[in-house]
Amino acid sequence: MKIVVLGSGVIGVTSAWYLARAGHDVTVIDRQPAAAMETSFANAGEISPGYSAPWAAPGVPMKAIKWMFMEHAPLIVNPKPDMAKIRWMLQMLGNCTSAAYAVNKGRMVRLAEYSRDCLTDLRADTGISFDERQQGTLQLFRTQKQVDAAGKDIDVLRQGGVPFEVLDVAGCLAVEPGLADAAGKIAGGLRLPKDETGDCFKFTQGLAARAAALGVTFRHGVSITRLNRTGDRITSVTTSEGEVTADAFVLALGSYSPKLAADLGLNLPVYPVKGYSITVPVVDAARAPVSTVMDETHKIAITRLGDRIRVGGMAEIAGFDLSLSDKRKRTLQHSVEDLFGGAGDQSQASFWTGLRPMTPDGTPIVGRSPIANLFLNTGHGTLGWTMSAGSGRLLADIVSGRATEIESRDLGFDRYRKPAKSAQPSLRPAPAR
């Protein structure tokens, strides 16, 4: 088929790659001048299937209230009224139960574990390099309360067959020697030895180049206005360079996906949650992280990317605001200096912000839409890099009508639909294996 992919972030590019490998004629359209110029540009750098978990969890509402009074708060909510924000937050609150958390985490881990396997194969097939390391993720706890609360996550990991290690302070220092000076601030850790790290921007640009060599057409600097529908099919996409027709369309525009979908009568519960990062050059390798350390208190990831340290995190619910806040920068600097003091040159820190496309249950929307030839690959939140290869492969299999290698029905749009009230025609997803 002739297929148009809307969006050239890591999700759009992996979708294009696997669709082209399946034999389709693929065109990617994006308003940016190159691939991975927005949310995929400077994320935290962690590929953490075992750490995949929804933000909606038991106890989060009370934690959110406490965070409001913290100097280095992991969550900031802009008080400006916004109906989309209010609806999304209410839906998220509805998922803050033990039962919902277990279901949501289970399917997120399933997709993320599959994605890691797909990335391993892709790396072997292409020889792509992106400052990758396969040395695990350490979730670092500063209090005994955090250690005790990890039990629920451990249960899910055990049920999913995900390898893990519960570490005491000495164990944390053994895998991350750079933490030695911060030993008195550590209560323990949960290590996921199969997790990886890597530069999402380098990966996406490298894969885009390989996709182009495979025959994928990239149309950068082209704005997307609307999808045009006749009956139960999309006939074309209107762009700044005219109409583009295709047999099928893939919506992979991250936080900007809901606008195009809304014009078609589809309500995608995806909201932009702003995150920040700094990138600093390593000046003392002995003090620097080996892989990724998740600071559970500040919800910040500190990752080694070659000769750089990437520090990313926080959640600011403020719509499409992309302004940079010095206060958020200070929080990132505080976290890395508190744990890995002197490892990086903060005077050379580059500061960045991006919008994470979050669903209220944490799980992305991958699969068919109620419109026959429109497919969705969006809503990955903080885990777009972790889930990218698997989401692209899964999407390509669904578009191609092939049986998927993992269960996919609960990852699609149908989980948000109310069939009795829906005015849109429905197609059953391709059978999963």
Side-chain angles (χ1 to χ4, degrees):
M1 292 186 291
K2 182 179 180 181
I3 300 173
V4 168
V5 176
L6 305 175
S8 69
V10 69
I11 299 299
V13 171
T14 51
S15 297
W17 168 260
Y18 284 108
L19 286 165
R21 287 290 297 268
H24 301 293
D25 177 2
V26 183
T27 297
V28 178
I29 304 175
D30 196 293
R31 63 189 172 95
Q32 293 293 346
M37 296 304 293
E38 294 196 27
T39 302
S40 302
F41 182 74
N43 65 17
E46 56 178 315
I47 305 169
S48 300
Y51 192 72
S52 299
W55 287 11
V60 164
M62 290 304 298
K63 288 181 182 178
I65 294 173
K66 295 178 182 178
W67 288 335
M68 292 172 63
F69 302 99
M70 287 176 57
E71 179 184 1
H72 299 294
L75 174 66
I76 306 97
V77 180
N78 188 311
K80 184 178 179 180
D82 175 350
M83 286 308 299
K85 174 173 65 179
I86 293 171
R87 283 195 300 269
W88 182 85
M89 291 180 69
L90 289 173
Q91 287 179 294
M92 182 180 173
L93 287 172
N95 279 278
C96 290
T97 66
S98 296
Y101 180 81
V103 170
N104 294 333
K105 182 175 176 66
R107 59 190 180 190
M108 292 170 72
V109 170
R110 182 205 319 152
L111 177 57
E113 289 278 316
Y114 175 63
S115 186
R116 184 187 55 213
D117 294 341
C118 291
L119 180 61
T120 298
D121 292 342
L122 192 157
R123 187 166 49 226
D125 291 343
T126 64
I128 194 168
S129 180
F130 46 93
D131 285 337
E132 68 278 9
R133 291 187 175 205
Q134 292 86 48
Q135 293 179 263
T137 294
L138 174 63
Q139 185 178 5
L140 194 71
F141 305 124
R142 293 175 181 258
T143 67
Q144 186 59 42
K145 186 176 181 180
Q146 291 173 346
V147 173
D148 297 339
K152 293 178 181 178
D153 282 341
I154 290 172
D155 288 342
V156 176
L157 294 173
R158 187 177 288 114
Q159 292 167 14
V162 180
F164 66 90
E165 300 169 358
V166 178
L167 303 179
D168 57 13
V169 176
C172 292
L173 299 185
V175 296
E176 287 287 354
L179 290 169
D181 289 345
K185 303 170 184 176
I186 301 171
L190 174 62
R191 182 170 181 258
L192 306 174
K194 287 196 171 183
D195 283 3
E196 305 180 16
T197 61
D199 189 323
C200 182
F201 173 74
K202 284 188 175 182
F203 169 84
T204 307
Q205 292 230 317
L207 189 62
R210 287 164 174 77
L214 199 62
V216 175
T217 299
F218 285 86
R219 297 182 60 178
H220 286 293
V222 178
S223 298
I224 300 163
T225 305
R226 68 176 181 275
L227 287 163
N228 302 301
R229 174 180 178 178
T230 299
D232 70 342
R233 298 186 66 82
I234 303 299
T235 55
S236 66
V237 56
T238 300
T239 75
S240 56
E241 294 185 353
E243 302 291 310
V244 180
T245 60
D247 300 308
F249 298 81
V250 177
L251 186 55
L253 288 171
S255 297
Y256 298 92
S257 298
K259 175 61 172 66
L260 284 184
D263 292 341
L264 299 169
L266 303 180
N267 179 23
L268 291 185
V270 175
Y271 192 80
V273 177
K274 187 177 179 181
Y276 295 88
S277 77
I278 57 172
T279 306
V280 299
V282 173
V283 293
D284 188 340
R287 293 174 176 266
V290 171
S291 189
T292 291
V293 173
M294 293 291 303
D295 185 344
E296 178 65 16
T297 296
H298 300 297
K299 304 294 184 182
I300 285 172
I302 306 168
T303 300
R304 179 73 171 269
L305 296 175
D307 59 359
R308 301 163 294 152
I309 300 172
R310 174 71 51 75
V311 189
M314 292 179 292
E316 187 169 337
I317 302 177
F320 290 88
D321 173 26
L322 282 168
S323 61
L324 290 166
S325 164
D326 284 338
K327 186 175 182 180
R328 312 299 170 233
K329 183 179 182 180
R330 290 195 296 272
T331 296
L332 296 172
Q333 291 174 322
H334 167 77
S335 184
V336 68
E337 286 299 311
D338 197 39
L339 295 175
F340 297 97
D345 184 355
Q346 293 292 345
S347 69
Q348 297 187 51
S350 58
F351 189 29
W352 172 86
T353 189
L355 301 175
R356 310 177 184 108
M358 300 284 293
T359 61
D361 60 15
T363 310
I365 304 171
V366 184
R368 294 178 176 270
S369 81
I371 300 171
N373 63 336
L374 176 65
F375 298 84
L376 307 171
N377 202 355
T378 188
H380 294 75
T382 60
L383 295 165
W385 183 203
T386 294
M387 295 180 171
S388 57
S391 295
R393 174 65 187 272
L394 187 68
L395 190 282
D397 285 345
I398 293 171
V399 172
S400 303
R402 297 193 299 239
T404 57
E405 295 180 315
I406 62 169
E407 174 59 57
S408 63
R409 284 167 291 193
D410 57 350
L411 302 175
F413 179 74
D414 279 354
R415 72 181 189 270
Y416 291 112
R417 299 182 67 201
K418 296 180 180 179
K421 296 182 181 180
S422 175
Q424 302 294 341
S426 173
L427 288 180
R428 294 162 64 184
R433 296 290 186 271

